Amino acid sequence: MDHDILISGGGIAGMSAAAAFGRAGFSVLCVDPAPPVTERDADGADLRTTAFLQPARDFLDRAGLWARLSDHATPLQVMRIADASRSPPMTRDFNAADISDLPFGWNLPNWLLRREMAKALDEMPGVDFRPGTATKSLFTRTGEARVGLSDGTRPRVKLVIAADGRGSPMRQAAGIGVTTTRYGQKALAFAVSHDAPHGNVSTEIHRAGGPFTLVPLPDHDGRPSSAVVWMMAARDAERRAALDVPAFEAEMTDRSAGLYGPLKLASKRNLWPIITQGAERLTAQRLALVAEAAHVMPPIGAQGLNMSLRDLETLLDLAVAAPERLGDAAMLDAYEKKRAPDIRLRMSGISALNRASMQGLPTLQAARATGLGLLHDLAPMRKAVMELGLGAKAR
């Protein structure tokens, strides 16, 4: 074999996989058609952020990445949910101190994650990271896979990990279909500064159209700063993306219900389509799907990349337990059996939450507010929800 593992996709999930398997002693080749954009204001920079919940942080530590990331991370101590369909908004705080001595998670900008992870891979023996190289073809048989690359080579490997996004070339090459739900929504992603300190509180504000989420960032130009993901109807997102800055700031401040005072735009604005998409199966011969190649969800509840790292952790545990069976049918069947039920459950739950958030009907808004109050005010239910949905560890 040329390598033990080929990872198709050099985004955050792909680089995390390369680091984790490389540190575990496997020979890894990780390829991506484009070099990572690693500067905040560069064209093509991913201005979204990722909130790594406690189990995800533990996996990044296992992969040898967390030491590079921790100094840049903003802790998320409180998850605040606000129902802005009423005035004043009804807010409920879910505090990690109720169940854990640690924060729920830590927030980092995606462009910075790419920068630090790329540096880490360059220093890891056993990991060959080749940005600017694409996967073109996949040929498998019982004992190996051969992957055709854009540089003309065809490396032989025991396992191919498809971390190559919602349009995954490796998934398509294996003939695995997907089921896609479209909501007619897009999300605007950008950074803001504001007068009120965020106090390490992540705030998800619900009103008709979709949630407006502020996630803490380090100060920007001496002012408190947050990353924003604003979900709404596609036509509204496109209109707002084209507004001049003062008009956009007025609309986003209104949508935030003024909880942080006037919001000032502190970055470019990126547009993202909102869909739910699930692969019909997670494996094929010598191939495992992870991250958005396997599942795509609306950005609610910090589930997306945290689910992706659970995919990787499951694969890594299976590989370390029996390295001589890396990529064989038994290992891949075990991966499918372990991950598929959890993925289906979380995808259906997030899809239902998104549909509820989109609705503007007074009866549904009232039901949402009542449900939020019950979840928060009944302590056993509140703690159970935090442990299940947010991934925090109970004391």
Side-chain angles (χ1 to χ4, degrees), residues 28-388:
V28 179
L29 171 61
C30 180
V31 300
D32 192 273
V37 180
T38 58
E39 297 296 332
R40 182 181 186 273
D41 297 320
D43 290 341
D46 185 351
L47 299 179
R48 296 172 298 176
T49 63
T50 295
F52 291 102
L53 304 180
Q54 287 182 17
R57 192 282 307 261
D58 294 345
F59 178 78
L60 293 176
D61 192 41
R62 180 181 178 186
L65 295 172
W66 187 247
R68 300 190 71 105
L69 300 174
S70 58
D71 288 345
H72 305 284
T74 304
L76 305 178
Q77 182 64 33
V78 174
M79 298 289 190
R80 176 173 295 150
I81 300 179
D83 188 320
S85 62
R86 55 178 64 194
S87 183
M90 183 184 82
T91 63
R92 292 291 187 271
D93 288 356
F94 295 81
N95 195 320
D98 286 348
I99 59 171
S100 175
D101 297 325
L102 295 172
F104 286 125
W106 296 262
N107 195 50
L108 291 114
N110 285 5
W111 63 266
L112 186 144
L113 286 166
R114 287 177 163 83
R115 184 188 74 192
E116 295 302 315
M117 288 182 174
K119 289 179 183 178
L121 294 185
D122 286 342
E123 299 171 3
M124 285 190 172
V127 176
D128 183 358
F129 180 43
R130 297 186 200 171
T133 304
T135 50
K136 293 293 187 180
S137 63
L138 175 66
F139 172 77
T140 64
R141 53 189 181 188
T142 303
E144 68 178 45
R146 290 196 177 198
V147 183
L149 302 179
S150 59
D151 62 7
T153 61
R154 296 182 70 232
R156 300 169 59 213
V157 298
K158 297 178 182 177
L159 173 65
V160 178
I161 298 176
D164 42 8
R166 59 185 68 185
S168 170
M170 289 293 93
R171 186 189 65 222
Q172 294 179 33
I176 300 175
V178 296
T179 301
T180 304
T181 301
R182 303 185 186 279
Y183 304 95
Q185 286 175 300
K186 289 187 177 180
L188 277 167
F190 50 93
V192 298
S193 61
H194 38 81
D195 295 336
H198 52 59
N200 294 336
V201 175
S202 177
T203 303
E204 196 168 276
I205 305 167
H206 290 265
R207 202 164 73 186
F212 183 101
T213 304
L214 299 106
V215 187
L217 288 175
D219 288 358
H220 178 69
D221 291 340
R223 286 167 51 83
S225 182
S226 296
V228 175
V229 176
W230 185 1
M231 293 166 55
M232 66 197 91
R235 62 183 179 277
D236 294 329
E238 291 160 2
R239 178 185 67 80
R240 287 176 170 134
L243 289 174
D244 62 31
V245 171
F248 183 72
E249 288 177 341
E251 292 204 15
M252 68 176 174
T253 297
D254 175 72
R255 180 60 184 82
S256 72
L259 294 180
Y260 285 79
L263 302 182
K264 298 295 181 182
L265 187 64
S267 74
K268 299 176 183 178
R269 287 165 272 182
N270 284 354
L271 268 175
W272 301 90
I274 301 301
I275 62 171
T276 294
Q277 179 174 284
E280 293 175 353
R281 61 184 192 278
L282 301 179
T283 63
Q285 191 175 56
R286 294 284 159 182
L287 174 71
L289 307 184
V290 301
E292 288 201 340
H295 44 76
V296 182
M297 297 183 299
I300 296 175
Q303 292 298 306
L305 191 60
N306 287 276
M307 277 181 60
S308 302
L309 297 188
R310 281 194 288 274
D311 299 340
L312 298 179
E313 184 174 36
T314 301
L315 270 181
L316 182 62
D317 287 344
L318 292 167
V320 169
E324 73 282 359
R325 295 172 54 185
L326 181 68
D328 72 7
M331 174 187 168
L332 293 175
D333 286 347
Y335 171 65
E336 178 96 33
K337 185 176 295 185
K338 287 176 179 290
R339 289 299 301 136
D342 180 61
I343 290 171
R344 285 194 296 267
L345 175 65
R346 292 179 187 271
M347 285 180 64
S348 61
I350 294 297
S351 181
L353 285 173
N354 186 45
R355 290 187 185 280
S357 184
M358 291 169 62
Q359 300 301 317
L361 297 175
T363 52
L364 289 178
Q365 291 176 345
R368 181 176 64 212
T370 300
L372 175 60
L374 287 173
L375 283 177
H376 178 273
D377 298 341
L378 297 175
M381 187 177 294
R382 180 175 71 248
K383 292 179 180 179
V385 166
M386 288 192 290
E387 291 170 14
L388 174 64

